[in-house]
Amino acid sequence: MKNLLKKIFLIDLLQGLRVTFRTQHPKNIVTEQYPQQRPMVAERYRGAPRLNINPENGQTLCIACDLCSLACPENLIVVGWERNPETKRKDLVTFTYDTSRCMFCGLCEDACPVDALELTQDFELASYSREGAIFDRQTLEEGIRPTKYRF
Amino acid sequence: MPDDPKPEGANTPESAPQPEPAAPQSPSAEPAAPVAPATAAAPPAASAGGAPPAPAVPPKPPAAAKPAGAAAAARPAAPKAPAVMAATPWESELTADLAAEFGDRISAFQSYLGQNFLVCQPGAAIPILESLRDNHGFEYLVDVTAVHYPDKPEPFELIHIVYSFERNERIRLKTRLKDGEKAASAVPVYITADWLEREVYDMFGIEFEGHPNMKRILLPDEWETFPLRKENSILKMDQRWVQENLGIESGQ
Amino acid sequence: MPGTFLDSTELVLNMGPQHPSTHGVLRVIVKLDGERVLGTECVIGYLHRGVEKIAENRTYTMFGPYVDRMDYVAAVSNGLGYCLAVEKLLNAEATPRAQAVRVILTELNRIGSHLLWLGTHALDIGAITPLFYCMREREYTLNIFEKYCGARLTTHAFRIGGLQYETYDGFEKEVLEFCDLFEPKVDEYEELLTGNRIWVERLTSVGILNADDCKAYGVTGPMLRAAGVQWDIRKAMPYSGYDKYDFMVPTRVNGDTYDRYMVRMAEMRQSVRIVRQAVADIPAGPIMAKVPKIIKPPVGEAYVSIEAPKGELGYYIVSDGSTQPYRCRVRPPSFVNLQALDKMARGSLVADLVAVIGTTDIVLGEVDR
Ligand code: SF4
Ligand code: SF4
């Protein structure tokens, strides 16, 4: 009997609708309005790569040890270096990082002995061409330059 | 346990992590890279005591067709790292029952890291599985897979993993197969084997006799190579198929 | 579908690979007699990437990120299984602290995976609302992953021997907050669905798979438990310290789609229970066991499996003593469970086929690898 009444008065459906309407209360809205509202990205986020430079003298921190490229499962880092005849140390010449193949696993970052290579919180990596996804040393040091449009 | 000598030249030339495409290929050009030899070198036991002078990386083709006995005899000179799995014998009621039932069709009962497995003759796998299911409660076939050892006379090892809910026990059944030899299908015993055996066929080219639908499962039907065989490097692909079906020169 | 002779009343229909309710690129060839399904055949492999071949060409450490990409909805579980398998080969064990953190993250991931399943499954049946709510709660788990390890989906959270990252400040608090928030939400979903007459009608007695069928087809996970077999690897062969926690393995008896729904709902509550216990007592200590930097397991082989959200996820790794696996086989739960689709769908209606695919909880990335 009780069940029949429940059926007739659509109790089960009304119950569901109550949940739906409760959620529509403005204070329960969780959607983020992305381009206007920037998401808070976590500190450890693994996003766009960056090659850190020493803030004091503007020199790169990278010692061209090649460990990051050896650690990378995708072999996408190419470190170009030449030996400095005076200091007998390796100097970084080029550094390419192909983000189109990168899985942002963080193994390169873990491998770097001097914390030169770092995956940053920057998450907007889209580009219009495949070449745009290959970062050279300059991009890595200065950050991505987003394409700007004027209307 | 002479049944399991692993080939020491297991790294295909491809498998050594190439630093980067642009790097010089000759090994002498990068003596400074500290990690490279460690990742690329074969197990040290292969060099049999003598101090290896030069980069011992590529020029070591594994001695072809090394019979198991000879390998074991030649090995004691090596200082450490046995190239054989350090398995211990496995004895229990189950092994006694199975030994009584199948006699020398089961060549070994072994255990490694607490995981038990048995090695059996090619024809015996299906009867053993049947007996395990019906008499010992191993109702659930977990997996069928294979491993390819190209340097052995019987290059394929077919592995059935079965589990018993009552005994809460998992065991493996290993069968050695020659190249081109057909295995008997386990589908009449466990329906699960259907797709799993198709995948083994797809990846290794081992055909199963008595399988209801022996064709490829993951790769396209017209594909020609069997990717998980060791002779196929990771870059190997069926160029003809790619050209015909995708309309591009190469997939790489 | 061996016989292809077509009667005039029979119709062969291609469902997928681009079909909203096949949950990915799954193509099902369906033979129909009117609305009745006479047989199905799955065509899979559209997402095949050769993960097992990749494994043979990467070192043990390098292969870590790839396993996340199989079942990308439950990447943490995949990572756990892989790490456990390699640790087994190395005869090492993660430290107690690492184990506790692993349990927390894996259970959160189980919740996330079940939530995604619930949302999409309900969407298939025609209930759109739960999807949004499920995504809303799943977001919290993803945020915890992001804060912990820096990625939301393909987390690469664990390393062989333990963890790469120490927990962040406020980790425990945030996880507990999530638990408090989430439990009433499960009630909310149940309010929406459990008693709803359309939901009940659409799911009961659809896609029945009884216990014997489950065992014969190798079906594991919630599907097996819905058929009344109380089997969960976390209980049967405890790993990563699961034996320390008190939780139940929910089961049902009928093995139909509705029961599978109920089992997964109950599992989410149990996961919260495990998480609460684990968070309350994270041991102090190092997060990384003493494993060598270059991982070189001795010659040997091991099969290690865990209870992933979808069933038994196993890794069979053969080591030849080098830094790379000689063979790494993944035993994917989705792949094996999907095989029972034909059994479940035969004789039902086309509309039920959608429900059956949904209830199997497949992720095509894992089916095809
Ligand atoms: S994040 Fe991973 S894939 Fe990307 S460059 Fe670093 S190691 Fe390679
Ligand atoms: S590991 Fe670090 S220091 Fe070494 S080459 Fe890479 S970025 Fe430079």
Side-chain angles (χ1 to χ4, degrees):
Chain A
M1 187 62 199
K2 204 169 145 220
N3 272 344
L4 186 71
L5 278 181
K6 264 193 179 166
K7 260 216 165 108
I8 293 173
F9 289 112
L10 302 172
I11 296 296
D12 50 339
L13 300 184
L14 287 176
Q15 221 179 15
L17 277 179
R18 211 185 65 216
V19 176
T20 315
F21 283 118
R22 195 167 62 215
T23 319
Q24 286 180 348
H25 191 280
K27 95 176 189 301
N28 289 337
I29 290 175
V30 290
T31 322
E32 220 163 55
Q33 303 298 327
Y34 160 56
Q36 285 92 33
Q37 221 180 336
R38 308 288 299 174
M40 278 288 296
V41 174
E43 202 180 315
R44 294 180 186 174
Y45 189 79
R46 302 197 296 256
R50 180 178 67 202
L51 257 189
N52 288 334
I53 44 180
N54 189 338
E56 279 157 27
N57 53 13
Q59 302 249 307
T60 179
L61 282 176
C62 174
I63 51 171
C65 64
D66 213 23
L67 282 180
C68 50
S69 96
L70 282 169
C72 174
E74 286 290 332
N75 283 334
L76 56 85
I77 302 178
V78 179
V79 183
W81 50 270
E82 61 187 21
R83 200 167 284 282
N84 189 330
E86 286 158 30
T87 56
K88 296 275 184 290
R89 302 235 313 256
K90 289 195 273 185
D91 278 355
L92 183 68
V93 182
T94 59
F95 196 104
T96 29
Y97 186 112
D98 183 353
T99 48
S100 65
R101 274 159 54 212
C102 180
M103 3 184 223
F104 300 100
C105 61
L107 282 175
C108 49
E109 190 185 25
D110 297 347
C112 184
V114 291
D115 291 336
L117 188 61
E118 198 180 319
L119 298 177
T120 60
Q121 278 126 301
D122 198 346
F123 54 90
E124 284 153 326
L125 290 165
S127 94
Y128 277 96
S129 60
R130 287 185 165 229
E131 289 72 38
I134 301 175
F135 289 9
D136 54 11
R137 183 177 166 186
Q138 197 191 359
T139 320
L140 286 167
E141 285 177 350
E142 293 167 5
I144 323 168
R145 286 148 305 201
T147 328
K148 289 242 165 56
Y149 296 93
R150 234 172 266 127
F151 293 100
Chain B
M1 302 149 283
D3 60 293
D4 223 347
K6 308 274 161 140
E8 59 266 79
N11 295 345
T12 54
E14 176 49 47
S15 68
Q18 310 287 346
E20 63 263 336
Q25 288 295 335
S26 65
S28 61
E30 39 170 272
V35 230
T39 48
S47 56
V57 192
K60 196 180 293 160
K66 202 190 289 177
R75 197 57 52 75
K80 59 175 163 81
V84 184
M85 179 161 64
T88 50
W90 164 43
E91 274 171 32
S92 71
E93 272 171 43
L94 179 65
T95 61
D97 285 355
L98 286 175
E101 194 177 344
F102 293 97
D104 57 1
R105 292 166 81 190
I106 299 179
S107 33
F109 293 100
Q110 291 183 327
S111 172
Y112 182 68
L113 293 173
Q115 302 186 342
N116 302 325
F117 61 93
L118 53 92
V119 187
C120 68
Q121 305 295 328
I126 302 307
I128 293 175
L129 285 176
E130 217 163 354
S131 164
L132 280 173
R133 185 195 62 179
D134 295 337
N135 309 334
H136 304 283
F138 287 85
E139 297 168 276
Y140 161 35
L141 176 73
V142 181
D143 201 0
V144 180
T145 186
V147 187
H148 187 204
Y149 299 101
D151 303 328
K152 294 192 184 173
E154 292 168 326
F156 291 103
E157 195 173 84
L158 190 66
I159 291 145
H160 294 83
I161 306 178
V162 286
Y163 178 81
S164 158
F165 289 99
E166 294 152 36
R167 313 161 67 109
N168 189 19
E169 187 178 349
R170 193 191 284 132
I171 60 176
R172 290 200 291 273
L173 192 72
K174 294 192 187 182
T175 321
R176 281 306 176 106
L177 291 174
K178 293 195 188 68
D179 202 358
E181 189 179 342
K182 288 189 178 176
S185 168
V187 177
V189 192
Y190 298 104
I191 313 173
T192 333
D194 188 339
W195 281 21
L196 293 168
E197 281 175 358
R198 276 175 68 187
E199 196 187 336
V200 171
Y201 168 68
D202 199 352
M203 295 296 150
F204 291 92
I206 302 174
E207 282 193 49
F208 290 86
E209 237 163 347
H211 189 287
N213 188 15
M214 194 77 261
K215 58 176 191 184
R216 286 181 180 272
I217 184 161
L218 293 177
L219 295 178
D221 284 344
E222 309 83 32
W223 200 264
E224 269 169 4
T225 56
F226 298 107
L228 281 182
R229 290 187 177 213
K230 290 283 176 189
E231 68 260 22
N232 296 326
S233 85
I234 189 167
L235 292 179
K236 165 106 178 172
M237 66 163 57
D238 190 341
Q239 294 292 0
R240 195 185 53 79
W241 189 91
V242 171
Q243 281 161 12
E244 277 174 15
N245 290 280
L246 304 182
I248 51 176
E249 255 322 288
S250 154
Q252 267 130 24
Chain C
M1 216 172 27
T4 45
F5 173 71
L6 284 185
D7 201 334
S8 60
T9 57
E10 286 174 7
L11 175 72
V12 170
L13 198 72
N14 228 333
M15 188 169 157
Q18 307 290 346
H19 188 283
S21 59
T22 53
H23 293 233
V25 274
L26 164 69
R27 177 168 150 223
V28 188
I29 304 171
V30 204
K31 192 156 108 176
L32 300 172
D33 177 11
E35 278 283 298
R36 292 256 155 231
V37 176
L38 296 179
T40 64
E41 186 182 345
C42 294
V43 181
I44 56 174
Y46 294 97
L47 274 183
H48 180 63
R49 289 148 292 174
V51 166
E52 293 173 13
K53 189 77 186 175
I54 293 176
E56 292 172 16
N57 293 278
R58 298 284 184 275
T59 65
Y60 287 94
T61 325
M62 282 183 186
F63 186 58
Y66 289 92
V67 297
D68 291 354
R69 282 148 182 85
M70 286 187 300
D71 182 356
Y72 39 78
V73 181
V76 181
S77 298
N78 281 288
L80 177 65
Y82 175 69
C83 290
L84 286 174
V86 181
E87 282 159 18
K88 178 96 185 163
L89 275 176
L90 286 168
N91 222 339
E93 202 180 35
T95 55
R97 182 176 175 82
Q99 286 190 348
V101 176
R102 280 178 175 189
V103 167
I104 296 168
L105 292 177
T106 320
E107 289 307 316
L108 288 178
N109 202 203
R110 186 185 313 275
I111 293 173
S113 168
H114 280 0
L115 281 177
L116 189 74
W117 161 82
L118 176 66
T120 50
H121 184 42
L123 189 66
D124 288 348
I125 306 293
I128 299 178
T129 326
L131 176 70
F132 304 125
Y133 298 172
C134 292
M135 286 299 184
R136 183 184 65 195
E137 268 75 68
R138 181 166 170 264
E139 190 70 17
Y140 289 99
T141 66
L142 296 185
N143 279 340
I144 293 176
F145 295 151
E146 181 185 330
K147 282 200 181 157
Y148 170 69
C149 63
R152 298 158 62 82
L153 207 59
T154 48
T155 47
H156 195 210
F158 307 142
R159 300 295 142 93
I160 296 157
L163 311 165
Q164 172 70 25
Y165 309 101
E166 187 50 90
T167 55
Y168 57 92
D169 290 340
F171 173 73
E172 289 95 341
K173 190 167 143 273
E174 213 155 281
V175 172
L176 280 178
E177 265 172 22
F178 169 73
C179 291
D180 293 340
L181 172 134
F182 182 63
E183 268 176 338
K185 297 285 184 198
V186 185
D187 299 334
E188 197 169 272
Y189 310 141
E190 294 227 37
E191 223 172 298
L192 276 174
L193 293 173
T194 307
N196 184 303
R197 66 186 72 181
I198 305 168
W199 182 252
V200 176
E201 290 286 310
R202 283 295 307 273
L203 297 192
T204 29
S205 303
V206 168
I208 298 179
L209 211 57
N210 62 30
D212 289 338
D213 289 338
C214 281
K215 288 174 185 169
Y217 278 95
V219 168
T220 45
M223 295 177 74
L224 177 66
R225 293 190 281 273
V229 183
Q230 195 165 35
W231 186 72
D232 186 313
I233 303 178
R234 288 174 292 172
K235 283 272 190 213
M237 300 179 161
Y239 54 89
S240 193
Y242 267 108
D243 40 355
K244 284 193 301 232
Y245 306 114
D246 174 34
F247 63 101
M248 276 174 20
V249 179
T251 52
R252 300 275 288 189
V253 278
N254 298 328
D256 60 1
T257 305
Y258 188 74
D259 278 5
R260 294 192 270 266
Y261 157 73
M262 292 304 274
V263 164
R264 289 196 174 105
M265 295 308 267
E267 263 178 29
M268 288 200 264
R269 295 180 199 273
Q270 294 301 324
S271 291
V272 173
R273 237 176 107 185
I274 300 175
V275 171
R276 277 186 197 283
Q277 293 170 43
V279 162
D281 180 28
I282 305 182
I287 51 170
M288 201 65 176
K290 285 204 171 51
V291 290
K293 256 232 136 59
I294 292 169
I295 289 173
K296 251 179 153 181
V299 180
E301 56 189 39
Y303 175 83
V304 174
S305 66
I306 63 158
E307 184 74 30
K310 295 171 179 65
E312 171 169 358
L313 169 73
Y315 286 88
Y316 176 68
I317 303 184
V318 180
S319 157
D320 63 345
S322 68
T323 55
Q324 297 170 331
Y326 187 72
R327 168 98 172 88
C328 175
R329 155 80 184 165
V330 187
R331 190 261 183 212
S334 298
F335 178 80
V336 183
N337 291 356
L338 183 60
Q339 208 181 154
L341 178 73
D342 184 56
K343 170 87 185 154
M344 289 191 281
R346 219 168 258 251
S348 62
L349 303 176
V350 192
D352 293 342
L353 181 63
V354 170
V356 168
I357 295 176
T359 190
T360 321
D361 192 12
I362 45 170
V363 164
L364 268 297
E366 183 177 59
V367 174
D368 299 342
R369 276 156 296 135

